[in-house]
Amino acid sequence: MFLHSVNLWNLAFYVFMVFMATLGLWDVFFGFEENKCSMSYMFEYPEYQKIELPKKLAKRYPAYELYLYGEGSYAEEHKILPLTGIPVLFLPGNAGSYKQVRSIGSIALRKAEDIDFKYHFDFFSVNFNEELVALYGGSLQKQTKFVHECIKTILKLYKGQEFAPKSVAIIGHSMGGLVARALLTLKNFKHDLINLLITQATPHVAPVMPLDRFITDFYTTVNNYWILNARHINLTTLSVAGGFRDYQVRSGLTFLPKLSHHTSALSVVSSAVPKTWVSTDHLSIVWCKQLQLTTVRAFFDLIDADTKQITQNSKKKLSVLTHHFIRHPSKHFEENPAIISDLTGTSMWVPVKVSKWTYVAYNESEKIYFTFPLENHRKIYTHVYCQSTMLDTNSWIFACINSTSMCQQGVDLSWKAELLPTIKTLTLRLQDYPSLSHLVVYVPSVHGSKFVVDCEFFKKETRSIQLPVTHLFSFGLSSRKVMLNTNGLYYNIELLNFGQIYQAFKINVVSKCSAVKEEITSIYKIHIPWSYEDSLTVAQAPSSTEISLKLHIAQPENDSHVALLKMYTSSDCRYEVTIKTSFSQILGQVVRFHGGALPAYVVSNMLLTYRGQLYSLFSTGCCLEYATMLDKEAKPYKVDPFVIIIKFLLGYKWFNELWDVLLLPELDAVILTSQSMCFPLISLILFLFGTCTAYWSGLLSSASVRLLSSLWLALKRPSELPKDIKMISPDLPFLTIVLIIVSWTTCGALAILLSYVYYVFKVVHLQASLTTFKNSQPVNPKHSRRSEKKSNHHKDSSVHHLRLSANDAEDSLRMHSTVINLLTWIVLLSMPSLIYWLKNLRYYFKLNPDPCKPLAFILIPTMAILGNTYTVSIKSSKLLKTASQFPLPLAVGVIAFGSAHLYRVPCFVFIPLLLHALCNFM
């Protein structure tokens, strides 16, 4: 019956939208590189020593605990307090376990053993009882206060020690990183209690799903504090994102706000981290061996030799983090590196005058210095590029100042090099170093190892190639191509017109090589100059390599940099680069950046459908099918233009002032614009997806009601249509009061769910009664119609004596179908707080604070009345016309204020439901 009410064209459209959504979802959940993280293993059995907290604290936070991580002999030794190491506190995130500290704790312990425990770290971890704080924000403030108490407790464990710490370092995973930032907002918190903050996959900008106002209020408090007090916050902070493998927290949310007066914060994607170079999912970021090794190396480089604790020097902390997480020169970190190095000793000096040079070193018996005079090369070339496959940490490239052929001291250029997976490289622009006379490449004496050093001089214009990206709406049907015909080692391909998050491309690099016996490795690096989200691809030549090109962060308006494809190639190969639009990845970006707003658009479609049904009932006395009314009423031009006009008017000062006077919240579209999340036609695309979702969810609910009614008839005796319509049955007030008490004493979402079950039961009962009635009627339609008219003829003006005909029952079921769809979304959006309450039931019987309680108080009696409401009882209501007009502005409002604040969506739904219920009395 539901499908019969939709024409084939509309059905084809709904199927097509499902296909489009499937493409986008596939790209988000499966369209990324395989997990290249190595698993980190413990060398000894991990132990978690529970730290005894003060009794008052344990009583105030019964669900929370503090642990010290240890293994083997270390764990045994440290069961006797006090401690002597450097404290690090790990904060798990949403549903996270305190045991997740074991990966970094174990690696740090091995590192300490390597240096005979000259320095070591004590890793503590907080047990938040695996609370679902991404779904329910009411406990975030409580977690923050508990962490403050934990820090004070940890520092007391070091009292009386010679090098007792005065602060702790914090590693926060997911929401744990936000809790760490929130510490600074506490009134009695001393900022110097934290010396370093590293967050892993933490959504700093906004919540992934704003499901209650407590989450958004918490975010507003934290971010506003950090922005307003940026000049006074001296906390060095590093945020590491997982990249495209992390579909739970997109990397754009993890980037800390860039403030000109707050320079002690870094944000980077794991695929850009040196020696890591992999994308991590939301959980593997805490155990990914490559990333944890990098983090531990940074921790040990942060130690101050005098205090044997993490340094208080902010400049050094930022230098260490930049060295390990941003650009690694393939040298051990030095706070003040020696720029001038001695080039003396028994070494060969070999002059090289050619512009392109390769040296294969194997079992070298003595050191060799290869010198490249720069005077003649400056006249012809603009740059020099060198690379070495020897990945040790020794200096390997120098420069002589005003020398003839050799020099005793040289400028160490190795600090300007960059480490890549298989090579270390250095590129210099010659005009930036006018005083340098020679470039010197050092080849040490090695035994049993083989490596290759290459150098070449080149003109920038021969190695920089512009490649405009294809148009967004080319759908991958057209492509652009460049050929690299020269035999260079390094190329920069400028990807013109690329800088928006809705752009997505596939780059295909085909390498063709001359006959060579050895394996040739090429490296392709996507470099995004306005954010640290680079990605590297290592390919063996000859080969055909596909690279995905899309962004986590859109290019800022005032930024003129160009995204680059840096190619580290072989002189024995020729390369062909092709770029074309990837339509599936564009859909993936839509889902990734805006998928969370879909419920608001689905509800907007349903409200328009609801409006059409109420108006149809008012004007014609009958209610049309849900699917028919969805096709007729759910049109984007009824909603989008109003939102666009409001956003445009907010650009004027007078309208902004009026907006503030009316105490209206900020328009969600303005928030998305400020986060550079505006796609072309994104609202239209989401509305169409919302229409499709509304249709299929309507089909599902209709089928579910019919299935349940069939089960009801199979289990119970067939029921009849009610002879007298009673809006308020004897048990209704009692049931309403009980559910309100449940809401007050336990959880509002539980009461809403129970009310929803009662409402569905009433609808299923009505469907079963109608089925029984139809099965008992004669087949002759004329006779049936006459009996309907006869039944309707006896209707009284008094609502309490109305009789329900089969037609009225069908109309009521159509209306109930829409109401069920709307209520389903209210229940779904309130479920997170119910899940949180159930999970913590052994600690708290009453959820406090409860985001659903105010809504429950209004919705419970409304659903109770609607469950006993029939269309025949409200046709003559004076309020029906008004009730039919409200859903349209509310459909606009739910898009304007609910797409980025999902907890507001139920507020726009219960208003027309309440008016519908009141139609029974007016």
Side-chain angles (χ1 to χ4, degrees):
M1 190 174 179
F2 192 94
L3 284 170
H4 290 313
S5 59
V6 182
N7 64 50
L8 288 176
W9 285 110
N10 286 336
L11 187 60
F13 165 74
Y14 294 136
V15 172
F16 174 71
M17 292 305 294
V18 168
F19 173 71
M20 299 275 280
T22 304
L23 283 178
L25 289 169
W26 186 92
D27 179 71
V28 171
F29 293 107
F30 305 103
F32 43 69
E33 65 180 61
E34 63 180 4
N35 193 348
K36 296 178 182 177
C37 278
S38 299
M39 176 65 77
S40 50
Y41 294 97
M42 285 75 254
F43 286 81
E44 297 177 89
Y45 189 79
E47 293 186 35
Y48 305 90
Q49 181 184 347
K50 187 176 177 180
I51 303 298
E52 189 174 345
L53 299 172
K55 289 184 178 179
K56 285 185 179 179
L57 190 62
K59 190 175 180 179
R60 199 186 317 160
Y61 305 101
Y64 300 161
E65 297 168 321
L66 177 65
Y67 288 88
L68 171 65
Y69 177 80
E71 293 177 19
S73 58
Y74 170 87
E76 289 297 321
E77 290 172 8
H78 288 80
K79 284 181 180 177
I80 304 172
L81 303 174
L83 303 174
T84 58
I86 304 168
V88 179
L89 179 61
F90 176 80
L91 304 181
N94 176 57
S97 169
Y98 66 95
K99 294 182 178 180
Q100 289 173 312
V101 72
R102 62 182 177 271
S103 294
I104 190 166
S106 181
I107 292 172
L109 186 57
R110 299 286 85 74
K111 176 79 171 175
E113 287 178 351
D114 290 343
I115 57 173
D116 295 325
F117 283 93
K118 180 182 179 182
Y119 309 112
H120 74 273
F121 288 88
D122 300 318
F123 277 85
F124 297 86
S125 185
V126 173
N127 178 15
F128 285 134
N129 191 34
E130 299 184 11
E131 288 183 335
L132 302 170
V133 286
L135 303 180
Y136 169 75
S139 62
L140 285 168
Q141 191 67 22
K142 184 170 61 176
Q143 286 191 359
T144 305
K145 291 178 179 178
F146 180 74
V147 172
H148 182 200
E149 298 298 331
C150 285
I151 292 172
K152 292 190 285 186
T153 301
I154 288 169
L155 294 178
K156 287 178 184 176
L157 300 177
Y158 295 86
K159 267 192 174 180
Q161 298 302 305
E162 183 182 358
F163 299 102
K166 297 178 181 178
S167 57
V168 302
I170 294 182
I171 300 175
H173 173 239
S174 189
M175 295 298 285
L178 187 71
V179 168
R181 287 180 64 217
L183 285 166
L184 275 62
T185 66
L186 298 177
K187 289 182 180 179
N188 57 345
F189 185 79
K190 296 178 182 178
H191 290 197
D192 54 4
L193 287 178
I194 309 176
N195 52 48
L196 177 69
L197 172 59
I198 296 178
T199 66
Q200 299 172 335
T202 296
H204 292 293
V205 177
V208 177
M209 294 289 282
L211 295 170
D212 66 54
R213 64 181 177 84
F214 304 121
I215 295 179
T216 54
D217 289 348
F218 190 81
Y219 266 90
T220 302
T221 301
V222 173
N223 286 331
N224 284 349
Y225 182 89
W226 277 64
I227 291 170
L228 295 174
N229 298 277
R231 294 181 186 277
H232 311 293
I233 295 175
N234 197 30
L235 175 60
T236 304
T237 308
L238 170 70
S239 174
V240 183
F244 288 109
R245 278 194 62 85
D246 189 350
Y247 51 77
Q248 294 185 47
V249 176
R250 62 177 180 83
S251 297
L253 292 176
T254 68
F255 278 65
L256 293 160
K258 290 184 178 179
L259 303 173
S260 58
H261 42 274
H262 185 207
T263 56
S264 57
L266 290 174
S267 302
V268 63
V269 180
S270 60
S271 59
V273 175
K275 295 191 176 184
T276 301
W277 296 306
V278 296
S279 177
T280 64
D281 60 53
H282 197 63
L283 292 179
S284 68
I285 198 168
V286 300
W287 56 255
C288 181
K289 186 176 180 180
Q290 296 95 312
L291 184 60
Q292 299 311 320
L293 281 169
T294 299
T295 306
V296 168
R297 290 188 201 106
F299 267 124
F300 276 87
D301 282 341
L302 285 165
I303 297 172
D304 186 321
D306 296 330
T307 63
K308 295 189 177 180
Q309 295 293 325
I310 288 180
T311 180
Q312 296 299 316
N313 186 333
S314 298
K315 188 177 178 181
K316 179 182 177 180
K317 284 189 278 190
L318 201 64
S319 297
V320 170
L321 295 179
T322 302
H323 177 93
H324 287 283
F325 287 90
I326 306 298
R327 186 185 176 95
H328 198 297
S330 190
K331 287 182 67 66
H332 291 307
F333 175 80
E334 294 180 26
E335 187 175 359
N336 298 301
I339 302 300
I340 305 298
S341 298
D342 291 330
L343 305 180
T344 56
T346 56
S347 307
M348 286 179 58
W349 286 77
V350 180
V352 179
K353 296 183 179 180
V354 295
S355 61
K356 187 171 183 178
W357 168 83
T358 299
Y359 184 79
V360 180
Y362 183 67
N363 280 336
E364 298 295 329
S365 58
E366 58 181 321
K367 304 173 186 176
I368 307 175
Y369 289 107
F370 293 95
T371 63
F372 299 80
L374 300 180
E375 185 178 356
N376 293 329
H377 290 308
R378 288 185 203 277
K379 300 173 183 177
I380 307 171
Y381 305 106
T382 59
H383 290 71
V384 59
Y385 168 83
C386 290
Q387 67 180 35
S388 173
T389 60
M390 169 71 86
L391 301 183
D392 63 357
T393 57
N394 296 317
S395 295
W396 62 286
I397 189 163
F398 307 89
C400 296
I401 301 174
N402 299 324
S403 174
T404 52
S405 60
M406 57 181 291
C407 53
Q408 292 186 346
Q409 288 187 324
V411 179
D412 191 350
L413 299 176
S414 306
W415 291 102
K416 298 182 180 294
E418 180 182 12
L419 179 66
L420 295 173
T422 58
I423 55 174
K424 52 186 177 184
T425 73
L426 175 70
T427 306
L428 297 178
R429 191 168 71 161
L430 296 176
Q431 70 179 56
D432 293 341
Y433 302 90
S435 61
L436 301 185
S437 59
H438 289 75
L439 189 70
V440 180
V441 174
Y442 170 63
V443 176
S445 58
V446 290
H447 299 283
S449 60
K450 180 180 178 181
F451 65 96
V452 181
V453 184
D454 298 275
C455 284
E456 65 173 355
F457 293 85
F458 63 88
K459 289 183 179 180
K460 181 184 177 182
E461 54 268 26
T462 63
R463 302 299 173 84
S464 293
I465 302 163
Q466 293 185 339
L467 178 61
V469 298
T470 49
H471 195 270
L472 178 68
F473 297 110
S474 64
F475 302 110
L477 300 175
S478 62
S479 62
R480 292 201 170 108
K481 185 186 299 184
V482 292
M483 299 285 294
L484 309 182
N485 292 316
T486 57
N487 55 352
L489 299 172
Y490 171 73
Y491 293 90
N492 262 340
I493 297 181
E494 299 177 5
L495 303 169
L496 303 181
N497 308 319
F498 173 64
Q500 302 301 324
I501 54 174
Y502 54 79
Q503 293 177 297
F505 306 93
K506 286 182 179 177
I507 297 176
N508 190 51
V509 182
V510 178
S511 56
K512 297 177 181 178
C513 307
S514 56
V516 287
K517 295 180 180 179
E518 295 185 358
E519 193 176 66
I520 297 174
T521 301
S522 299
I523 300 174
Y524 313 128
K525 178 180 180 180
I526 300 291
H527 175 60
I528 309 299
W530 54 84
S531 63
Y532 297 119
E533 54 177 288
D534 296 1
S535 60
L536 285 85
T537 303
V538 179
Q540 304 301 324
S543 64
S544 177
T545 306
E546 188 173 275
I547 305 169
S548 292
L549 178 63
K550 50 196 173 188
L551 292 171
H552 298 290
I553 297 285
Q555 185 173 17
E557 290 183 6
N558 57 350
D559 194 298
S560 59
H561 291 94
V562 178
L564 300 173
L565 170 60
K566 295 187 173 185
M567 299 182 63
Y568 302 88
T569 57
S570 169
S571 57
D572 296 317
C573 302
R574 299 291 180 269
Y575 296 83
E576 179 182 283
V577 181
T578 307
I579 187 169
K580 63 181 179 180
T581 301
S582 174
F583 185 62
S584 63
Q585 291 189 64
I586 291 173
L587 292 174
Q589 291 289 80
V590 170
V591 173
R592 185 175 287 110
F593 283 85
H594 292 282
L598 185 61
Y601 284 86
V602 176
V603 170
S604 180
N605 276 273
M606 290 179 175
L607 285 172
L608 291 173
T609 306
Y610 190 36
R611 171 192 175 275
Q613 286 184 320
L614 289 172
Y615 188 77
S616 171
L617 190 63
F618 166 74
S619 59
T620 66
C622 65
C623 182
L624 295 178
E625 280 279 358
Y626 172 83
T628 304
M629 200 53 72
L630 180 69
D631 293 337
K632 184 179 178 182
E633 293 292 330
K635 307 296 181 186
Y637 60 76
K638 294 183 178 181
V639 174
D640 281 349
F642 293 100
V643 179
I644 293 168
I645 290 169
I646 294 170
K647 183 184 174 185
F648 173 76
L649 291 173
L650 283 170
Y652 292 93
K653 186 179 178 180
W654 63 270
F655 192 80
N656 236 321
E657 291 173 352
L658 176 63
W659 192 269
D660 293 336
V661 168
L662 295 173
L663 301 177
L664 292 170
E666 191 175 8
L667 195 71
D668 283 358
V670 174
I671 296 172
L672 296 178
T673 302
S674 67
Q675 295 176 7
S676 301
M677 281 177 56
C678 281
F679 282 50
L681 307 174
I682 184 59
S683 190
L684 173 62
I685 295 168
L686 287 174
F687 192 92
L688 294 177
F689 277 129
T691 307
C692 172
T693 308
Y695 170 77
W696 290 110
S697 61
L699 177 62
L700 179 63
S701 67
S702 178
S704 300
V705 167
R706 290 177 183 279
L707 178 62
L708 289 172
S709 67
S710 300
L711 290 172
W712 177 262
L713 288 173
L715 297 172
K716 298 281 287 184
R717 191 178 66 182
S719 54
E720 298 178 353
L721 289 173
K723 294 179 179 179
D724 293 318
I725 296 174
K726 295 179 181 179
M727 286 172 295
I728 302 179
S729 58
D731 61 335
L732 196 61
F734 173 76
L735 180 65
T736 303
I737 291 170
V738 168
L739 289 174
I740 288 176
I741 292 172
V742 168
S743 173
W744 179 262
T745 56
T746 58
C747 173
L750 175 64
I752 290 173
L753 178 62
L754 294 174
S755 302
Y756 174 76
V757 171
Y758 167 78
Y759 182 85
V760 172
F761 167 76
K762 296 293 287 186
V763 175
V764 168
H765 188 268
L766 179 60
Q767 177 69 58
S769 301
L770 181 61
T771 304
T772 303
F773 177 80
K774 284 184 174 181
N775 292 338
S776 65
Q777 291 301 300
V779 182
N780 189 343
K782 290 184 178 179
H783 177 79
S784 178
R785 224 175 275 123
R786 280 199 299 271
S787 65
E788 288 291 337
K789 288 180 180 178
K790 188 176 178 181
S791 169
N792 290 336
H793 180 70
H794 291 289
K795 286 180 184 173
D796 198 287
S797 59
S798 173
V799 171
H800 296 283
H801 298 286
L802 289 173
R803 290 181 63 82
L804 189 67
S805 67
N807 282 344
D808 292 330
E810 286 184 347
D811 273 359
S812 298
L813 281 170
R814 289 167 188 153
M815 186 66 76
H816 283 309
S817 174
T818 306
V819 173
I820 281 180
N821 287 324
L822 287 168
L823 290 175
T824 299
W825 280 101
I826 290 181
V827 171
L828 288 174
L829 291 172
S830 63
M831 276 300 98
S833 61
L834 175 61
I835 295 169
Y836 178 90
W837 175 75
L838 288 171
K839 196 172 184 300
N840 291 273
L841 194 55
R842 58 178 172 159
Y843 300 108
Y844 314 103
F845 187 72
K846 181 180 180 180
L847 183 63
N848 185 34
D850 189 346
C852 296
K853 190 177 290 181
L855 178 66
F857 288 163
I858 301 172
L859 207 56
I860 289 167
T862 301
M863 279 196 276
I865 294 170
L866 286 176
N868 291 274
T869 297
Y870 303 93
T871 54
V872 66
S873 64
I874 64 171
K875 283 180 184 179
S876 57
S877 171
K878 296 177 181 178
L879 192 61
L880 183 57
K881 184 178 180 181
T882 304
S884 69
Q885 292 171 343
F886 259 78
L888 177 58
L890 292 171
V892 177
V894 78
I895 299 300
F897 303 109
S899 55
H901 298 83
L902 291 179
Y903 64 89
R904 293 174 182 166
V905 172
C907 302
F908 291 96
V909 176
F910 87 79
I911 295 172
L913 295 178
L914 180 62
L915 292 173
H916 186 176
L918 291 175
C919 285
N920 287 284
F921 307 99
M922 299 176 68

